[in-house]
């Protein structure tokens, strides 16, 4: 059976050119970047080239503002815990949105249990943060505002520049989890003005287990992972050289194709969305209709459980998900959709389609053909269903 992958926000297939670029760093260029001999110097050089590539992808002024990590979760942890620790004499208050990824939300929860104060700012029905509430939440004890750039479940893009402006008036750092934005839309740390930004390789056709944290020069942050003097004393541990080379290559590819790919993929996404809306009754788009990632559409199918739709699509060879891969298995309604005012019942029946470079028009049409009968069959079995 043909298999169709519509779950690119969970992870992307590693680009073949990325794999090709990484392979020599396993079998011949295997030096430890901290070694001073030729083997080490080769590895070091590759890391610094990748660092410059990541800096260029997000328009960071200086490559040394990029610290390599093991991925988005670690970058979020590093940013939040690192600033919380470094500024603990200045304040103890952290602000986040109510639609953060668990890597941010649970990190803030942990700090909350350990003496920090945390405020979650509400969002509107599209998932956009309430800027007035944000403004009023800031106190002279606030040390960090952390807001996701583009939401992983709905694709909604947050008004980061406005957030930075509000934070700047009070001298508060801004961190953004840009894991879903990087590689899909233009991300420019100079234009945005953020102090810290998380990204992850496997969300833009790089390898899993490697990411980066952008730290604006001069930002006060304490290392979380301690040990050797790697990454200018900011993140200890022998560098994942193949992974770092891979994420660098993925950055290069993303920059080359971004606008064209975004147009192509949003065209496919809109075709899918229209097709579903036309052929299936009682659906609801979750997320902002336009201020949204080009590849994402999150749709609720009333009266149904998202899991049963996933399983039925899976039997047809189609991979989709409910909100977030990281929360699946919990069977709780998505905290993101609930925060947007979606009812628990409607939220339970939501499916996220997240498209990518490997998808084609024929695949969209296949899903539009299969889905109506799946939904109809499931609805007939649903005790909640009424036409
Ligand atoms: C995937 C994801 C993460 C976690 O990144 P990993 O590299 O998988 O640890 C964090 N935030 C968002 C928004 C994500 O989509």
């Amino acid at each position: 059976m043909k298999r169709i992958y519509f779950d690119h926000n969970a992870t992307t297939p590693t680009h073949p050119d990325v794999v090709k670029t990484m392979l020599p760093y396993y079998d011949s260029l295997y030096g430890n970047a901290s070694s001073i001999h030729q083997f080490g110097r080769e590895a070091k050089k590759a890391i610094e080239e990748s660092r410059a590539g990541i800096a260029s992808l997000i328009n960071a002024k200086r490559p040394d503002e990029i610290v390599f990590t093991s991925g988005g979760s670690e970058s979020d942890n590093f940013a939040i815990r690192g600033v919380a620790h470094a500024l603990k004499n200045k304040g103890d208050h952290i602000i986040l949105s109510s639609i953060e990824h668990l890597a941010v939300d649970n990190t803030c929860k942990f700090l909350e249990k350990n003496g920090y104060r945390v405020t979650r700012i509400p969002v509107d029905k599209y998932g956009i943060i309430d800027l007035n509430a944000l403004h009023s939440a800031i106190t002279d004890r606030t040390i960090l505002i952390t807001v996701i750039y583009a939401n992983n479940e709905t694709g909604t893009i947050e008004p980061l520049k406005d957030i930075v402006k509000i934070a700047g008036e009070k001298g508060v750092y801004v961190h953004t989890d840009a894991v879903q934005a990087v590689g899909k839309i233009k991300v420019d740390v100079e234009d945005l003005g953020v102090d810290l930004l998380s990204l992850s390789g496997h969300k833009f056709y790089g390898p899993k287990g490697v990411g980066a944290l952008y730290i604006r020069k001069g930002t006060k942050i304490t290392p979380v992972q301690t040990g050797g003097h790697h990454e200018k004393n900011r993140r200890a541990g022998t560098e994942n050289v193949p992974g770092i080379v891979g994420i660098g290559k993925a950055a290069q590819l993303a920059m080359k194709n971004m606008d064209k790919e975004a147009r192509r993929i949003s065209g496919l996404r809109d075709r899918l969305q229209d097709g579903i809306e036309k052929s299936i009754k009682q659906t609801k788009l979750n997320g902002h209709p336009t201020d949204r990632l080009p590849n994402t559409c999150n749709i609720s199918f009333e009266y149904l459980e998202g899991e049963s739709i996933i399983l039925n699509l899976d039997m047809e060879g189609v991979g989709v998900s409910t909100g977030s891969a990281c929360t699946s298995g919990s069977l709780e309604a998505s905290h993101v959709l609930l925060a947007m005012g979606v009812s628990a019942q409607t939220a339970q029946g939501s499916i996220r389609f997240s498209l990518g470079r490997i998808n084609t028009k024929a695949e969209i049409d296949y899903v539009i053909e299969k889905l109506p009968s799946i939904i109809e069959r499931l609805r007939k079995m649903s005790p909640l269903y009424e036409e």
Side-chain angles (χ1 to χ4, degrees), residues 282-321:
Q282 306 194 68
T283 64
K284 176 183 178 295
L285 176 71
N286 299 307
H288 198 281
T290 54
D291 291 339
R292 187 165 43 128
L293 291 174
N295 78 319
T296 306
C297 87
N298 184 313
I299 297 181
S300 291
F301 298 87
E302 297 289 352
Y303 313 112
L304 297 181
E305 293 278 347
E307 278 74 14
S308 57
I309 304 172
I310 293 179
L311 294 175
N312 277 270
L313 278 173
D314 190 41
M315 284 188 271
E316 303 288 354
V318 182
V320 299
S321 70

Side-chain angles (χ1 to χ4, degrees), residues 6 154-156 262-276 285 288-299 353-356 359-360 364 368:
F6 283 163
T154 64
T156 294
R263 272 197 301 280
R264 188 187 76 88
I265 290 173
S266 67
L268 293 179
R269 190 268 317 269
D270 294 345
R271 185 182 180 87
L272 177 68
Q273 197 176 305
D274 291 348
I276 290 173
L285 176 71
H288 198 281
T290 54
D291 291 339
R292 187 165 43 128
L293 291 174
N295 78 319
T296 306
C297 87
N298 184 313
I299 297 181
F353 301 88
S354 50
L355 279 46
N359 293 135
T360 63
I364 300 292
I368 296 174

